[in-house]
Amino acid sequence: MILTINCGSSSLKYRLFSKDLDKVIASGLIARIGEEGAYCEHQAHERRAQLHQPIPDQDAAFDIMADNLMHSEFAVIENPREISAIGHRAVHGGDVFVESTLVTESVMEQLNSCIRFAPLHNPANIAGIEECQKKFPGIPNVVVFDTAFHQTMPPEAHIYALPYDLYERHGVRRYGFHGTSCRYVAQAAADMLNRPVEDLSMVVCHLGNGVTIDAVKGGKSVDTSLGFGTFCGISMGTRAGDFDPAIIFHLVKELGMSIEEVEAICYKKSGLLGVSGVSNDMREVEQRAAEGDKRCALALEIFVYHIRKMIGSYAAAMNGLDALVFTAGIGENSATVRSKVCAGLGVLGVHIDEGINEIVRDGHPNISAADARVATLVVPTDEERMIAIDTVALVH
Ligand code: AMP
């Protein structure tokens, strides 16, 4: 069996797959670790349990996960040895990791050297690997990076026009994120179209709380909307997306804000929440916009306008577009966002069937109209499965 681990600073998500990955045997979420209201949800064999209990730290969370997996009530595994490998999600692999890798001592050292790029996320990812090494000794660990897929971007796409020294000596460049999702979805879209991914130019729109628009040519990421950090590109739930960096100097020098206050604005107080003044949740923003709330309508328009512009620029960067793919919470579920993004992309050959767009959840991944030159698809993402696929490939 293959276990996947997605370890955040206050959460632990796990999934146990059968050896050939055709079944999810168990899955769970342990949330609010080290906080008030900590809880654990565990599901196996159609049985679900939720338990509220104090969970002081990651160590306790991994104990709970191991207990859940070995609990006789759920009959998942009797012995940790039944797990043949563990795959971990890591947010940042810098430019050291261009693909998933088996964990060794030197990989752990290099992972530690990437903490400077993702100080909030990488320490939790590393702690997850160390917990597994401790609790499941002898079982190989694999690490899968959100940044790795984007390492194929050409220099003109990943190097900023800043002093070159910042790039060379300090690693200041575009890294991109959500690579595991984009890679999975690009391959799945090619499979749905029955065409080799190597023959396709596509734009993947990963629209969730975080947003990545990714240009994928021949199965490789050639440009992506997130950059050195995770607030540029498209406006998101609480993150700003692209804006003129001169505003940062203005906020600090003229309005007397501290750099921490500006950082909070960029990451936590902007995007859907900042413009609407109501919510970072697209469902609520859409509903209020439909009821006539002008600021919610504006937040929605800014969101779709950013996406439409990015798709246009990536079609130009790839000199063509064969497929447009929507995924993640908003991409998979919001017919309104898909419709608004695609309206105005007729110039590229994008034309969706509005009727099919509405019922896509009933199993119609291809929402293109009959006369469309570009295939528009809705493809559910599955980062855990991608991690499990890489883990199997590396371990066997
Ligand atoms: P994710 O980060 O992929 O879990 O996506 C979270 C985002 O998906 C949130 O902004 C949700 O509001 C949004 N979302 C989930 N379901 C829907 C829906 N039916 N319509 C619009 N947005 C949705």
Side-chain angles (χ1 to χ4, degrees):
M1 280 179 257
I2 304 293
L3 179 64
T4 60
I5 298 286
N6 184 345
C7 191
S9 55
S10 64
S11 68
L12 164 61
K13 275 191 229 162
Y14 57 89
R15 215 193 267 183
L16 189 68
F17 289 87
S18 60
K19 203 171 171 205
D20 49 12
L21 307 185
D22 67 343
K23 269 196 240 114
V24 174
I25 294 169
S27 60
L29 166 68
I30 302 175
R32 304 183 67 90
I33 298 166
E35 297 170 17
E36 286 277 302
Y39 65 92
C40 158
E41 284 170 5
H42 178 73
Q43 186 167 8
H45 303 301
E46 316 273 301
R47 300 186 58 180
R48 193 186 269 270
Q50 195 183 54
L51 208 67
H52 288 259
Q53 66 185 98
I55 305 172
D57 51 27
Q58 291 291 4
D59 197 45
F62 276 84
D63 279 338
I64 292 171
M65 178 190 78
D67 283 351
N68 287 344
L69 292 177
M70 284 186 277
H71 202 292
S72 56
E73 190 190 328
F74 289 100
V76 175
I77 53 171
E78 286 177 6
N79 185 319
R81 289 258 146 220
E82 290 170 55
I83 299 171
S84 53
I86 305 172
H88 298 260
R89 170 178 185 241
V91 168
H92 217 303
D95 49 15
V96 181
F97 295 106
V98 300
E99 58 190 2
S100 305
T101 179
L102 258 174
V103 173
T104 61
E105 244 173 70
S106 84
V107 164
M108 289 304 275
E109 274 167 29
Q110 286 169 318
L111 249 177
N112 273 295
S113 77
C114 294
I115 287 179
R116 67 200 155 118
F117 297 125
L120 294 180
H121 296 101
N122 269 30
N125 305 151
I126 292 169
I129 298 173
E130 288 169 346
E131 285 290 341
C132 284
Q133 288 173 327
K134 203 163 68 185
K135 298 212 155 61
F136 305 104
I139 298 176
N141 289 279
V142 164
V143 60
V144 178
F145 301 91
D146 266 12
T147 48
F149 183 52
H150 305 301
Q151 281 294 310
T152 46
M153 284 187 288
E156 65 272 25
H158 77 249
I159 300 178
Y160 295 118
L162 290 166
Y164 195 72
D165 193 45
L166 289 176
Y167 165 65
E168 219 172 24
R169 287 187 49 216
H170 302 289
V172 173
R173 51 161 286 177
R174 183 187 300 280
Y175 288 101
F177 299 87
H178 300 122
T180 310
S181 168
C182 292
R183 182 159 57 104
Y184 177 82
V185 164
Q187 184 61 56
D191 292 346
M192 284 172 187
L193 292 171
N194 231 341
R195 291 183 61 186
V197 73
E198 292 76 18
D199 291 353
L200 296 169
S201 293
M202 50 175 117
V203 172
V204 174
C205 302
H206 175 109
L207 313 180
N209 251 325
V211 172
T212 280
I213 310 297
D214 197 16
V216 184
K217 191 174 171 84
K220 293 189 162 68
S221 176
V222 293
D223 205 348
T224 193
S225 61
L226 288 176
F228 179 78
T230 55
F231 79 74
C232 64
I234 311 302
S235 66
M236 305 173 219
T238 61
R239 291 175 254 171
D242 284 345
F243 67 93
D244 183 347
I247 294 167
I248 293 180
F249 311 132
H250 180 77
L251 297 181
V252 172
K253 290 183 179 169
E254 298 298 323
L255 305 188
M257 288 186 189
S258 68
I259 207 69
E260 288 75 22
E261 284 173 302
V262 176
E263 197 172 17
I265 286 177
C266 296
Y267 283 98
K268 299 201 171 129
K269 297 183 178 177
S270 298
L272 293 178
L273 177 66
V275 178
S276 73
V278 169
S279 176
N280 64 337
D281 189 311
M282 182 55 91
R283 281 165 291 203
E284 194 172 347
V285 171
E286 265 185 35
Q287 194 189 331
R288 295 229 190 180
E291 288 162 5
D293 184 310
K294 289 201 167 56
R295 293 254 303 270
C296 286
L298 178 62
L300 181 56
E301 286 308 323
I302 292 173
F303 181 74
V304 296
Y305 178 65
H306 280 183
I307 297 169
R308 210 183 303 129
K309 260 203 316 190
M310 198 65 82
I311 294 168
S313 71
Y314 285 169
M318 293 188 289
N319 192 21
L321 183 66
D322 301 304
L324 176 63
V325 191
F326 289 96
T327 193
I330 301 170
E332 290 167 33
N333 295 302
S334 175
T336 304
V337 167
R338 290 192 300 264
S339 170
K340 280 177 173 288
V341 167
C342 293
L345 289 179
V347 65
L348 300 177
V350 174
H351 185 190
I352 64 169
D353 182 313
E354 294 291 348
I356 297 178
N357 183 38
E358 288 291 336
I359 55 163
V360 70
R361 294 188 73 185
D362 297 332
H364 294 83
N366 193 331
I367 61 171
S368 325
D371 62 349
R373 279 181 282 121
V374 172
T376 303
L377 303 176
V378 182
V379 180
T381 191
D382 196 342
E383 286 165 299
E384 270 72 21
R385 182 166 292 277
M386 191 75 253
I387 292 170
I389 291 169
D390 281 3
T391 303
V392 170
L394 279 162
V395 169
H396 300 296

